[in-house]
Amino acid sequence: MLRENSPTASRLANFGESVFTRMSRLAAAHKAVNLGQGFPNFDGPEFVKTAGKAAIDAGFGQYARSFGLPECNQAIATRFHADSGIEVNPEREITVTSGATEAIVAVMLGLVEPGEEVILVEPFYDCYPAAISMAGGVLRSIRMVSPDFAFPVEQLRAAVTPKTRLILINSPHNPTGRVLSDQELSQIAKIAIDNDCLVVSDEVYEHIYFERKHTSIATLPGMRERTIVVSSLGKTFSLTGWKVGWTIAPEQFTQAIRSAHQFLTFSTATPLQRAAVDALKAPKEFYTQLRADYAARRDAMLCMLRNVGFDPFIPEGSYFVLAKHEPFYLKPGALAPDEDFCEHLVKTVGVAAIPCNAFYDPAATRDVQESTSMIRFAFCKDLETILEAGRRMQAVMKPTLEETKVFKMDR
Ligand code: PMP
Ligand code: GLN
């Protein structure tokens, strides 16, 4: 049957095109410096690329086992044990997926019944609500608020109902850069245990933190049996296009995730899984260097943004920094001032950033001022790129503290 209004099924029609796709397209069209979509503009490490080429040459060319090449599952288990102290069974508790994105969709499809509730914390990564919708789940959102983006423990307690199936958290966090503290993690854990909910912990930025080390909530007492850890190679090895991800979950939840995964993608690219084994064996020094490099990029980004006139929030982890556009722009009554600002930035100034309303629940009736007040800059870029963005912005943007704030850019 042909539907006249929208050919897209209602479970996806509202999501439109991803903000990352849109901003990268605009960046290319306007030859802008792309600080929008979070992908490194430098290559991944040679030892991982060499392992990928060797795997192709060695004939790793057919389907892998659906839930992962055995040595890849083993390497993930070994890495997770080294990082968290938790022993997991690689055969029964790990599923290799095509990136964390597929993992999240498989978790929702495998575990959430239509009508069950999933709690997300605003601002949240854009694929979460779409994954919930595809599974027929119901999104319940709570909010971390600037300037400190503290975890809203009381809101979480109030949002849990008998229908809550999952609480999805993300630390180190995209887009705020928060790394949840031990106290915040304990409070979340207590609520999950008291209400018998599962926690999905998106840890794709697990190795990119600055002051406080990342802790997986799975390590807290009573949490291993109710946590599904999601991660991937993309950020740690600067190879976002490889799309090798995984879930780590107790056996019964792993079975549910695999039920979805086998019909979503069946299996993940075999040679890349083989190369992931070498990647995951990287020595401690690799991770130390990764953090040192990102600390330098973060400092360059913060310094550049301050010189331009922004007052950025200091990220504790991940590779994003948020800033209010308010020093430059406040258009009373504008529906989406962050969209407006980013569009001007990419088209006229030549710098792409992400308007943060994309990370908020449009159905929630909360302060729109907050959800449209920020833009996100990615610092997974070489220093010259960050500096060039600064030069472009400084040339045409002047912050204003006048009473009626309008664009102070040459429009
Ligand atoms: N979770 C978060 C918080 C992310 O920022 C991203 C995207 N980079 C993903 C999941 C998706 O990861 P992947 O590229 O491995 O699918
Ligand atoms: N995670 C990346 C970001 O937040 C985007 C990944 C994507 O476009 N799917 O920028």
Side-chain angles (χ1 to χ4, degrees):
M1 189 183 70
L2 287 178
R3 267 181 273 112
E4 271 169 23
N5 294 340
S6 164
T8 308
S10 58
R11 60 184 165 269
L12 285 167
N14 287 338
F15 294 99
E17 183 184 43
S18 128
V19 66
F20 308 115
T21 308
R22 180 160 56 88
M23 290 314 301
S24 279
R25 189 183 54 245
L26 282 174
H30 296 278
K31 299 194 170 34
V33 178
N34 193 353
L35 304 183
Q37 191 175 25
F39 62 88
N41 72 340
F42 41 86
D43 209 354
E46 279 307 318
F47 73 95
V48 185
K49 294 194 325 180
T50 304
K53 287 179 257 187
I56 290 175
D57 286 341
F60 283 80
Q62 310 306 331
Y63 296 128
R65 184 177 65 174
S66 175
F67 62 88
L69 203 64
E71 54 268 46
C72 187
N73 292 52
Q74 180 61 59
I76 294 164
T78 305
R79 180 79 252 155
F80 189 64
H81 182 237
D83 291 334
S84 69
I86 300 179
E87 292 220 24
V88 290
N89 184 313
E91 295 294 295
R92 292 201 291 271
E93 298 184 296
I94 291 177
T95 307
V96 181
T97 58
S98 297
T101 309
E102 195 228 334
I104 288 159
V105 176
V107 165
M108 297 300 164
L109 292 174
L111 285 162
V112 177
E113 285 290 355
E116 283 185 332
E117 296 175 0
V118 179
I119 299 179
L120 297 185
V121 190
E122 293 180 324
F124 47 67
Y125 184 51
D126 73 336
C127 86
Y128 304 159
I132 296 169
S133 179
M134 283 191 262
V138 176
L139 161 60
R140 295 273 175 247
S141 58
I142 58 178
R143 179 179 285 188
M144 301 196 288
V145 179
S146 63
D148 54 1
F149 299 104
F151 193 92
V153 178
E154 288 317 315
Q155 285 183 49
L156 177 60
R157 212 186 305 281
V160 173
T161 75
K163 284 190 164 173
T164 307
R165 176 65 162 155
L166 303 174
I167 299 167
L168 197 168
I169 62 170
N170 166 221
S171 178
H173 188 254
N174 175 8
T176 65
R178 278 295 326 276
V179 174
L180 294 178
S181 67
D182 288 349
Q183 194 196 8
E184 288 172 309
L185 291 172
S186 310
Q187 288 167 322
I188 299 164
K190 181 167 183 344
I191 294 171
I193 293 166
D194 288 350
N195 294 281
D196 202 18
C197 302
L198 303 180
V199 171
V200 181
S201 182
D202 179 343
E203 304 182 5
V204 297
Y205 299 99
E206 60 188 318
H207 296 291
I208 306 176
Y209 53 79
F210 307 111
E211 284 84 23
R212 182 170 47 246
K213 193 176 176 313
H214 157 73
T215 304
S216 175
I217 196 167
T219 61
L220 273 63
M223 288 307 291
R224 187 201 182 311
E225 54 268 42
R226 61 177 68 251
T227 303
I228 296 152
V229 173
V230 172
S231 194
S232 68
L233 279 194
K235 328 293 167 184
T236 307
F237 295 95
S238 307
L239 290 165
T240 58
W242 280 33
K243 299 296 283 186
V244 177
W246 55 85
T247 59
I248 303 174
E251 186 168 1
Q252 50 169 326
F253 305 129
T254 290
Q255 278 171 7
I257 293 163
R258 289 179 184 177
S259 303
H261 164 72
Q262 66 179 338
F263 297 124
L264 278 171
T265 54
F266 184 75
S267 62
T268 293
T270 313
L272 302 186
Q273 290 197 56
R274 180 63 199 77
V277 175
D278 285 43
L280 291 163
K281 283 183 184 156
K284 214 170 67 223
E285 295 72 41
F286 171 82
Y287 295 92
T288 312
Q289 188 63 47
L290 178 80
R291 280 188 281 279
D293 291 346
Y294 270 112
R297 291 181 196 116
R298 174 188 77 157
D299 292 349
M301 176 66 90
L302 289 172
C303 189
M304 179 279 272
L305 290 174
R306 284 185 190 128
N307 282 340
V308 171
F310 287 102
D311 185 13
F313 301 108
I314 299 172
E316 302 164 316
S318 85
Y319 48 51
F320 303 109
V321 51
L322 292 185
K324 299 247 174 192
H325 51 69
E326 196 256 3
F328 300 95
Y329 175 69
L330 185 69
K331 192 165 155 189
L335 277 182
D338 57 336
E339 291 281 346
D340 217 4
F341 185 84
C342 284
E343 204 172 304
H344 184 71
L345 204 58
V346 69
K347 290 185 177 165
T348 313
V349 183
V351 176
I354 299 292
C356 285
N357 73 80
F359 301 109
Y360 289 83
D361 177 5
T365 49
R366 293 194 195 93
D367 181 10
V368 181
Q369 180 89 26
E370 167 86 359
S371 58
T372 59
S373 65
M374 287 172 283
I375 59 177
R376 189 196 79 176
F377 295 94
F379 55 90
C380 43
K381 310 290 170 184
D382 56 45
L383 295 180
E384 179 46 35
T385 302
I386 294 170
L387 292 179
E388 174 57 18
R391 283 192 284 271
R392 290 184 182 200
M393 290 197 279
Q394 258 175 332
V396 287
M397 290 165 61
K398 302 275 175 291
T400 173
L401 293 173
E402 289 158 23
E403 220 165 75
T404 322
K405 292 166 186 146
V406 288
F407 269 125
K408 284 292 260 186
M409 298 188 235
D410 306 331
R411 240 187 150 161

